[in-house]
Amino acid sequence: MLLEEVPVAVDSFNHDGGVLFFCSHAHEDHLKGLNKKWRKGPLFASAITRQLLLLKWPSLEITALELGRTYQIPLMDGLEIEVYLIDANHVPGSVMFLFSGYFGSVLYTGDFRLHEKHQDIASLAPVRDKGLSRIYLDNTFCDPRFQQPSREDVAAAISKRFRRKWPCIIFVESYRLGKETLLLHLAQKLRSRVLVSEERKKTMRACGFESDQVQIQSCDPLQASEDLLQTEALRGCIWAISRQNLRKGMWQASDSGCAFHGIRATGWAEQARKEESMPSCEDLDENLVAVSDDGVFHYLYSDHCSFLELVQFLQFLPKAPVTFISPVGSSEGTYSFDGADGIQKLMASASVPSIRYSERPTRCFEKTSLPRAKRKAEGPHEEDGYEQKKSAGA
Ligand SMILES: [Zn+2]
């Protein structure tokens, strides 16, 4: 998104001329426009995100910025901005950016999950002295229906359930980045190993997850022989697998006659349960999980804020207009919902003066709590594709 206040683009890399580029984290849907030949301007990221981007595109030139330190970066015409990085508590390397300068102070959250340290943002000098001109907010789950519990609670529920079924193969759906803490938690609690692809092992190493419990798989689970699957099931293992291969891996294991289970850990679990008409599971893990017809356990595990956490986060901060980072969807499809209700409730609950947002595909609106202000149409914003967001790390 290209910020309104200053020539800075965050997680969007197709702009030309005089723009500074920042990458909040290395999920695919935040890398739009980047490629190995990309040279459009200065690019900044946290040290971990830089490492992850260089694994993918070794020729990129990226400046690593430390968290908790103020940097002055020159713009054109002798102007400069200050930037300060804050841990976003989303995936390894993910950060929020606090930009300040002639335009005031602007907070760009990127994808984030609320952490108690986020209360300290209000006492950072640029916010304390100038307030906030605008907050660019992660709105992935901006609707009161999204009430995901803490990741620690869900991880504990998962390990508790599968300790009773141990040993077996537990296939855990995961992207190239994210869920590392969950995988290691399960390995620890079940005293087992996490099997990953070579690429995933490199990613985990770049994120600082060095552990003997993380081992490179001897082959892709879809290529595994009956013998191998049976051996692994009797030893017990956590096997990281891509979303598109989760069910295929389960079928393969089923054909071999070994003990196995499949887990999807996602904030969309509740939504998927409704859309796929899964049976009510009140008796299971206090509503943290639903089981689909094909035997996949859908756990309500999210790297994004619940609606309540979004409200709490905004209440920590000085009042400021908000711009949603992602377009607001309609209610079509499994990974979408009608965002209108959430916008109204967020404004009311967190006393937000206005929320600017775009609707798919191009329209952009502003809702405001000011009595005589009216909803106005504006030009389209540059933004991440919602369709991509659903497949990359939510
Ligand atoms: Zn993300």
Side-chain angles (χ1 to χ4, degrees):
M1 176 179 278
L2 189 60
L3 305 192
E4 294 170 45
E5 297 78 8
V6 61
V8 160
V10 188
D11 297 347
S12 147
F13 301 94
N14 282 322
H15 312 279
D16 286 309
V19 177
L20 300 178
F21 293 90
F22 292 81
C23 180
S24 72
H25 65 295
H27 269 153
E28 291 290 329
D29 55 326
H30 294 257
L31 308 180
K32 213 169 151 188
L34 272 186
N35 57 59
K36 64 180 179 185
K37 293 181 182 164
W38 187 89
R39 289 281 183 281
K40 286 180 182 283
L43 171 55
F44 304 90
S46 68
I48 289 177
T49 297
R50 176 179 178 274
Q51 279 303 111
L52 294 170
L53 295 181
L54 291 179
L55 279 179
K56 196 175 170 76
W57 298 299
S59 59
L60 279 185
E61 287 176 19
I62 310 162
T63 304
L65 302 178
E66 290 174 28
L67 277 69
R69 194 181 142 189
T70 302
Y71 291 87
Q72 278 90 26
I73 301 175
L75 288 165
M76 290 194 322
D77 304 328
L79 295 169
E80 66 173 23
I81 61 165
E82 289 189 349
V83 62
Y84 183 95
L85 276 58
I86 299 152
D87 188 343
N89 194 34
H90 172 61
V91 294
S94 63
V95 292
M96 301 181 184
F97 296 108
L98 175 61
F99 299 105
S100 56
Y102 62 91
F103 49 89
S105 298
V106 168
L107 180 65
Y108 190 99
T109 68
D111 289 349
F112 80 106
R113 182 93 205 236
L114 187 68
H115 188 279
E116 60 185 26
K117 286 193 175 167
H118 292 153
Q119 293 183 64
D120 301 339
I121 296 172
S123 51
L124 294 171
V127 183
R128 191 189 58 221
D129 298 345
K130 302 178 188 171
L132 283 169
S133 318
R134 184 163 290 278
I135 301 165
Y136 291 84
L137 187 72
D138 173 13
N139 58 301
T140 304
F141 293 122
C142 185
D143 185 285
R145 84 188 72 177
F146 295 108
Q147 302 171 12
Q148 48 269 41
S150 77
R151 286 175 290 194
E152 292 76 15
D153 286 354
V154 184
I158 298 174
S159 54
K160 187 176 163 200
R161 166 172 297 278
F162 289 99
R163 206 178 290 136
R164 299 197 296 268
K165 299 171 183 289
W166 200 251
C168 61
I169 297 174
I170 303 177
F171 293 111
V172 180
E173 176 192 296
S174 64
Y175 299 97
R176 290 195 197 100
L177 177 64
K179 312 284 189 296
E180 293 80 6
T181 310
L182 173 63
L183 292 168
L184 285 169
H185 168 90
L186 293 178
Q188 250 169 18
K189 291 293 175 188
L190 299 168
R191 300 205 176 103
S192 181
R193 305 151 297 140
V194 181
L195 302 184
V196 295
S197 66
E198 197 171 347
E199 185 193 4
R200 189 66 149 101
K201 175 86 175 171
K202 282 184 195 162
T203 303
M204 289 180 83
R205 194 177 294 135
C207 299
F209 289 95
E210 286 283 5
S211 166
D212 294 341
Q213 285 179 294
V214 181
Q215 297 176 6
I216 297 174
Q217 61 197 16
S218 55
C219 67
D220 186 280
L222 302 191
Q223 259 77 59
S225 67
E226 210 172 288
D227 271 359
L228 176 67
L229 288 165
Q230 286 176 355
T231 306
E232 292 293 2
L234 286 171
R235 287 182 72 190
C237 69
I238 321 297
W239 205 329
I241 192 165
S242 66
R243 181 172 179 190
Q244 62 268 32
N245 284 346
L246 173 65
R247 286 168 175 87
K248 293 179 198 161
M250 292 170 68
W251 296 335
Q252 180 92 352
S254 175
D255 286 345
S256 79
C258 73
F260 70 93
H261 296 281
I263 292 178
R264 287 197 69 214
T266 169
W268 294 106
E270 179 65 23
Q271 189 78 356
R273 173 157 79 190
K274 283 185 189 136
E275 297 287 337
E276 294 178 25
S277 302
M278 291 182 211
S280 175
C281 294
E282 279 80 10
D283 57 322
L284 294 178
D285 298 333
E286 296 176 344
N287 234 2
L288 299 179
V289 60
V291 187
S292 49
D293 288 346
D294 49 13
V296 176
F297 287 80
H298 299 250
Y299 273 93
L300 197 50
Y301 182 100
S302 179
D303 292 323
H304 295 266
C305 287
S306 65
F307 180 79
L308 177 63
E309 288 172 336
L310 286 177
V311 171
Q312 291 171 328
F313 178 74
L314 291 173
Q315 287 178 344
F316 293 154
L317 299 172
K319 298 290 165 262
V322 165
T323 294
F324 280 176
I325 291 174
S326 299
V328 172
S330 67
S331 55
E332 298 157 16
T334 302
Y335 300 103
S336 188
F337 56 94
D338 186 341
D341 194 36
I343 290 168
Q344 294 298 345
K345 292 213 163 83
L346 189 70
M347 287 178 74
S349 315
S351 306
V352 177
S354 68
I355 295 180
R356 188 165 295 179
Y357 63 99
S358 62
E359 286 181 342
R360 277 184 293 157
T362 54
R363 285 185 302 165
C364 182
F365 300 109
E366 180 160 331
K367 285 230 185 267
T368 174
S369 58
L370 298 174
R372 275 183 294 173
K374 57 185 184 222
R375 180 172 165 168
K376 59 180 181 186
E378 297 185 342
H381 280 196
E382 188 69 32
E383 67 239 334
D384 297 329
Y386 195 84
E387 289 296 330
Q388 292 178 354
K389 178 171 270 296
K390 73 185 182 188
S391 65

